[in-house]
């Protein structure tokens, strides 16, 4: 079949179609955490737990991904299982979507792609673990996640635990400011550190309830001035974080391994997360799961308040 006769339209899962018709709150979820962010078989179990967490808080989960070249907003359980088990699942940023569709690929969407697709589908809230950002030594490598530029032009609330702590957090916050992306802490003026509670950086704003976040969403729509995202840092509690000393030691070891093995580009984040999992004997994985479940719960409560 030629490209001109194929239908490349986005497909909506039945549960998302029903929610749209009924005006029920919807939360977007990424699929890279399923295919690239967590080890098997934990990835499939956690993907289901994330969706259930959203439902328990009164919203409808819309996990986004690509199946055989078709973009899907609201993957079925069987489709999530396919992306969780597949060995040839592409990691898709926004720029990859059309090419991957033309190739008929299976793909998992990053923060950038999930945000863009969700916003185009009219979904206002997205839950993830940690943002991508500016990599360490980016002044030499120019390695910066496409998440940042995409969020500058995407009107969505991204509930996260900050930037992945393997990145240059300070440089990432500077880039978000330059790009005009709003950043606020949830109940805090400190930016979350992903695996740890505190990244060491202050924020100008905090929002203290789902209703206050929903009010910020309403204000953005009413003003019609700013189309960028709101990054909401939902930091882990001190009693929930990875031990900071263990975190710093593991990160230093991981960066040495990264340099020694010459890992670059898209492979950097999965490499370092895998190293954390192995070096902390699974403790970082438990923290990562806590992060995404907490964020899914908050995102659902924001979506309910916005609805």
């Amino acid at each position: 079949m030629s490209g001109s006769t194929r239908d490349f339209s986005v497909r909506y899962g039945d549960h998302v179609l029903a929610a749209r018709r009924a005006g029920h709150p919807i939360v977007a979820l990424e699929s890279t955490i399923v295919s690239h962010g967590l080890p098997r078989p934990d990835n499939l179990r956690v993907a289901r737990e994330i969706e259930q967490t959203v439902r328990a808080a009164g919203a409808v989960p819309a996990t986004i991904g690509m199946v055989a070249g078709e973009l899907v907003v609201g993957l079925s359980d069987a489709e999530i299982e396919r992306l969780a088990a597949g060995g040839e699942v592409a990691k898709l940023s926004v720029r990859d979507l059309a090419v991957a569709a033309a190739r008929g690929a299976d793909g998992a969407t990053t923060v950038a792609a999930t945000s863009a697709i969700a916003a185009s589908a009219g979904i206002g809230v997205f839950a993830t673990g940690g943002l991508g950002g500016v990599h360490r030594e980016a002044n030499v490598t120019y390695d910066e996640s496409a998440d940042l530029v995409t969020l500058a032009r995407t009107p969505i609330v991204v509930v996260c635990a900050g930037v992945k702590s393997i990145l240059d957090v300070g440089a990432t916050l500077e880039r978000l400011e330059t790009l005009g992306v709003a950043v606020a802490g949830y109940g805090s003026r400190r930016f979350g550190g992903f695996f740890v509670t505190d990244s060491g950086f202050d924020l100008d704003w905090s929002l203290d309830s789902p209703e206050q976040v929903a009010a910020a969403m309403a204000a953005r729509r009413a003003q019609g001035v700013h189309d960028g995202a709101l990054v909401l840092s939902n930091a882990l509690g001190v009693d929930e974080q990875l031990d900071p000393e263990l975190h710093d030691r593991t990160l230093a070891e991981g960066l040495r391994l990264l340099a020694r093995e010459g890992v670059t580009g898209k492979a950097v984040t999965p490499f370092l997360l895998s190293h954390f999992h192995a070096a902390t004997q699974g403790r970082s994985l438990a923290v990562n799961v806590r992060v995404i479940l907490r964020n899914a719960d908050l995102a659902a409560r924001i979506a309910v308040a916005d609805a």
Side-chain angles (χ1 to χ4, degrees):
M1 184 180 294
S2 71
S4 61
T5 57
R6 286 176 62 184
D7 182 4
F8 291 110
S9 302
V10 174
R11 173 167 60 84
Y12 293 88
D14 291 342
H15 60 295
V16 174
L17 279 174
R20 283 160 63 94
R21 283 195 296 266
H24 292 158
I26 303 171
V27 173
L29 302 169
E30 64 174 301
S31 45
T32 47
I33 195 168
V34 180
S35 60
H36 297 87
L38 296 171
R40 298 173 190 161
D42 301 280
N43 58 345
L44 180 58
R45 172 183 59 81
V46 174
R48 288 168 172 161
E49 287 180 8
I50 296 167
E51 290 207 336
Q52 183 52 41
T53 298
V54 170
R55 291 189 188 97
V60 175
T63 302
I64 295 172
M66 181 176 286
V67 178
E70 187 175 38
L71 266 183
V72 184
V73 176
L75 294 165
S76 68
D77 188 70
E79 289 166 337
I80 291 173
E81 188 169 355
R82 173 172 170 153
L83 295 186
E88 296 294 329
V89 178
K91 187 176 181 181
L92 303 179
S93 190
V94 180
R95 69 173 189 170
D96 304 308
L97 296 175
V99 176
R103 295 285 303 182
D106 283 354
T109 52
T110 63
V111 167
T114 305
S115 298
I117 296 162
S120 72
I123 300 171
V125 188
F126 164 40
T128 185
L131 289 186
V134 179
H135 285 254
R136 294 162 190 263
E137 300 185 355
N139 60 319
V140 176
T141 63
Y142 290 88
D143 195 352
E144 176 183 313
S145 171
D147 293 356
L148 306 186
V149 174
T150 300
L151 292 177
R153 55 177 183 254
T154 306
I156 196 163
V157 174
V158 182
V159 181
C160 61
V163 174
K164 292 184 177 72
S165 52
I166 57 181
L167 304 172
D168 187 328
V169 179
T172 301
L173 286 170
E174 289 289 347
R175 285 292 286 147
L176 287 169
E177 180 181 358
T178 300
L179 292 166
V181 178
V183 183
Y186 187 69
S188 172
R189 289 284 186 94
R190 298 284 279 180
F191 193 59
F194 188 52
F195 283 133
V196 294
T197 301
D198 191 342
S199 69
F201 292 89
D202 289 322
L203 296 172
D204 293 332
W205 298 100
S206 70
L207 294 166
D208 302 329
S209 68
E211 291 73 23
Q212 209 166 55
V213 180
M217 297 168 69
R220 180 179 57 196
R221 289 192 293 263
Q223 291 166 351
V225 174
H226 183 246
D227 286 332
L230 167 60
V231 171
L232 187 68
S233 163
N234 183 35
L236 282 169
V238 173
D239 59 338
E240 297 176 297
Q241 68 178 338
L242 189 65
D243 177 72
E245 288 186 8
L246 174 62
H247 172 273
D248 293 348
R249 187 168 66 249
T250 304
L251 177 58
E253 292 168 355
L255 292 172
R256 283 195 295 271
L257 286 171
L258 198 71
R260 189 180 74 194
E261 299 190 18
V263 179
T264 59
K266 287 183 178 180
V268 168
T269 298
F271 178 91
L272 286 175
L273 291 178
S274 176
H275 168 72
F276 259 88
H277 175 57
T280 64
Q281 298 178 315
R283 277 174 284 186
S284 69
L285 173 63
V287 172
N288 198 353
V289 172
R290 271 201 297 277
V291 162
I292 184 59
L293 293 179
R294 290 175 81 256
N295 293 343
D297 174 73
L298 177 57
R301 290 186 286 126
I302 292 167
V304 169
D306 187 51

